């Protein structure tokens, strides 16, 4: 099951610039507007995004963020948990201490009370004690059908928890180093899902951000061998979040590729046509969330792969 027909989204209460995550997130930018104005804009963008998904009959579970404690990145729930068809729910170790507050027991309980079958909760947050992190489906892009995890190592994606999880799931890891210009030098891209997307038939990837030619070839060959049509994107397109996509389905089985309006606007006609051969594009406008949060549309969507008992 590569794609889900249900996603969970967290409506932000105190969205804003997180100095802890900005340490290694090239995409975050400061803003001179007031905190209340920024939060209001983020909620407006969030609500518009939800409406677009619901218009296409994609099931969206909306959870309200709590005012206290303040969690500026709560709108990105895919980093702290993932779900799987066999009933596993996995909690992840997070780089930023303030982001660890996003792991909410009541959200897990809400899924259970809604009839989703959670058979096992696997908590990997113990890795935080040794300074090792793996930020969910931000750190990892999964090809569920081929049972492959693609991951670019970074200060938020470490090999030990990555290999530990892969063994738990029975997946193979294709790891690499992806870099970008930051502060006059080259730094690891903080999350794999900003430079890469894997859907049912397509893979969108910024191959030129993978520094080593051997790793670049390995990624491309792995994608091709698993039956994906590879759509390369440029560094400039990656910087507009063109790698940050997610394929979802609706209640009728129709497939959609979700990306931000900024990502869509950066793509060429040929790239859009290739995507639209297989899916319909949904492109919310989320400029405030992208600028201050340093994440985009895919980061806002936590896929629910769990079965339902009622």
């Amino acid at each position: 099951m590569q794609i889900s027909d249900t996603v969970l989204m967290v409506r932000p209460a105190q969205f804003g610039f997180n100095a802890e995550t900005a340490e290694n997130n090239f995409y975050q930018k400061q803003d001179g507007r007031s905190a209340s104005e920024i939060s209001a804009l983020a909620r407006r963008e969030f609500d518009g995004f939800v409406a677009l998904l619901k218009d296409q009959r994609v099931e969206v579970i909306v959870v309200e963020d709590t005012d206290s404690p303040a969690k500026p990145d709560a709108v990105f729930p895919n980093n702290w948990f993932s779900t799987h068809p066999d009933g596993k729910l996995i909690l992840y170790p997070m780089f930023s201490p303030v982001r660890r507050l996003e792991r909410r027991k009541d959200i897990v309980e809400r899924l259970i009370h809604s009839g989703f079958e959670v058979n096992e909760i696997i908590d990997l947050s113990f890795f935080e004690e040794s300074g090792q992190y793996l930020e969910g489906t931000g750190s990892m892009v999964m090809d569920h059908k081929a049972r492959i995890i693609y991951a670019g190592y970074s200060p938020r994606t470490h090999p030990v928890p990555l290999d530990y999880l892969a063994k738990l799931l029975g997946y193979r890891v294709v790891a690499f180093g992806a870099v970008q210009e930051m502060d006059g030098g080259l730094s690891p891209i903080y999350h794999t899902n900003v430079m890469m997307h894997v859907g049912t038939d397509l893979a969108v990837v910024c191959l030129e951000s993978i520094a080593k030619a051997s790793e670049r070839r390995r990624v491309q060959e792995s994608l091709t061998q698993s039956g994906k049509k590879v759509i390369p994107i440029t560094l400039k397109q990656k910087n507009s979040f063109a790698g940050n996509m997610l394929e979802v389905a609706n209640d009728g089985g129709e497939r959609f590729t979700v990306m931000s309006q900024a990502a869509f606007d950066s793509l060429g006609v040929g790239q859009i046509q290739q995507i639209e051969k297989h899916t319909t594009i949904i492109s919310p406008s989320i400029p405030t969330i992208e600028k201050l949060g340093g994440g985009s549309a895919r980061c806002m969507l936590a896929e629910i792969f769990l079965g339902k008992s009622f």
Side-chain angles (χ1 to χ4, degrees):
M1 186 188 296
Q2 180 61 25
I3 63 174
S4 171
D5 61 5
T6 303
V7 293
L8 183 143
M9 301 177 68
V10 177
R11 190 171 189 266
Q14 296 201 44
F15 174 81
F17 183 87
N18 181 349
E20 291 179 359
T21 56
E23 180 181 321
N24 49 43
N25 185 338
F26 158 89
Y27 301 88
Q28 283 178 255
K29 301 289 185 288
Q30 288 274 29
D31 194 297
R33 293 171 293 187
S34 69
S36 60
E37 185 180 1
I38 288 166
S39 286
L41 285 168
R43 283 191 290 273
R44 193 178 309 153
E45 291 172 7
F46 177 92
D47 292 341
F49 189 175
V50 171
L52 286 178
L53 292 169
K54 289 187 172 181
D55 283 347
Q56 298 291 354
R57 304 196 323 275
V58 176
E59 184 175 350
V60 184
I61 301 167
V62 175
V63 177
E64 292 287 340
D65 184 22
T66 54
D67 285 319
S68 182
K71 299 176 290 301
D73 293 307
V75 74
F76 304 130
N78 78 308
N79 298 139
W80 68 264
F81 85 100
S82 68
T83 64
H84 303 266
D86 61 359
K88 286 187 179 70
L89 188 148
I90 300 170
L91 305 175
Y92 290 97
M94 307 283 283
F95 166 80
S96 164
V98 74
R99 292 214 62 191
R100 298 168 194 171
L101 302 171
E102 296 171 30
R103 292 191 296 253
R104 286 170 50 188
K105 185 179 177 182
D106 64 301
I107 291 179
V108 177
E109 290 172 345
R110 175 168 171 182
L111 288 173
I112 295 169
H113 293 153
S114 298
F116 290 100
E117 295 177 331
V118 177
N119 302 321
E120 183 180 11
I121 297 174
I122 300 172
D123 188 350
L124 303 183
S125 63
F126 66 87
F127 279 108
E128 292 166 356
E129 297 169 14
S130 56
Q132 297 183 88
Y133 312 112
L134 184 68
E135 296 193 333
T137 53
S139 289
M140 303 173 289
V141 174
M142 297 187 182
D143 183 340
H144 296 294
K145 187 176 179 182
R147 303 186 75 79
I148 298 171
I149 295 172
Y150 295 93
Y153 291 136
S154 79
R156 307 206 202 171
T157 305
H158 290 143
V160 173
L162 175 62
D163 292 341
Y164 184 93
L165 176 76
K167 287 175 183 173
L168 278 174
L169 295 178
Y171 280 39
R172 175 169 64 89
V173 174
V174 175
F176 51 88
V179 296
Q180 64 198 2
E181 286 189 20
M182 190 172 178
D183 298 327
L186 292 177
S187 298
I189 294 175
Y190 82 106
H191 276 164
T192 310
N193 77 357
V194 298
M195 53 76 64
M196 184 176 189
H197 154 67
V198 174
T200 304
D201 304 302
L202 301 174
V204 176
V205 57
C206 183
L207 290 166
E208 58 183 290
S209 70
I210 301 175
K212 291 184 180 178
S214 59
E215 292 182 344
R216 201 179 311 134
R217 281 195 303 271
R218 185 175 175 228
V219 169
Q220 187 161 14
E221 286 171 2
S222 177
L223 290 167
T224 302
Q225 288 167 8
S226 57
K228 310 300 180 189
K229 165 68 177 174
V230 177
I231 303 175
I233 56 172
T234 65
L235 291 169
K236 186 176 180 181
Q237 289 173 324
K238 174 196 65 72
N239 292 347
S240 296
F241 292 106
N244 197 245
M245 303 179 183
L246 183 68
E247 187 180 334
V248 299
N250 67 8
D251 56 8
E254 295 175 273
R255 293 186 286 146
F256 303 88
T257 297
V258 185
M259 68 186 80
S260 73
Q261 189 64 49
F264 179 85
D265 290 343
S266 77
L267 295 176
V269 173
Q271 292 167 313
I272 292 169
Q273 287 175 342
Q274 287 184 76
I275 294 169
E276 289 183 330
K277 281 181 185 177
H278 301 274
T279 63
T280 300
I281 293 173
I282 297 175
S283 52
S285 179
I286 48 172
T288 306
I289 291 171
E290 287 179 320
K291 180 180 179 182
L292 280 93
S296 190
R298 191 277 171 264
C299 306
M300 296 170 67
L301 304 171
E303 300 149 282
I304 306 301
F305 285 109
L306 302 166
K308 266 199 144 182
S309 56
F310 59 87

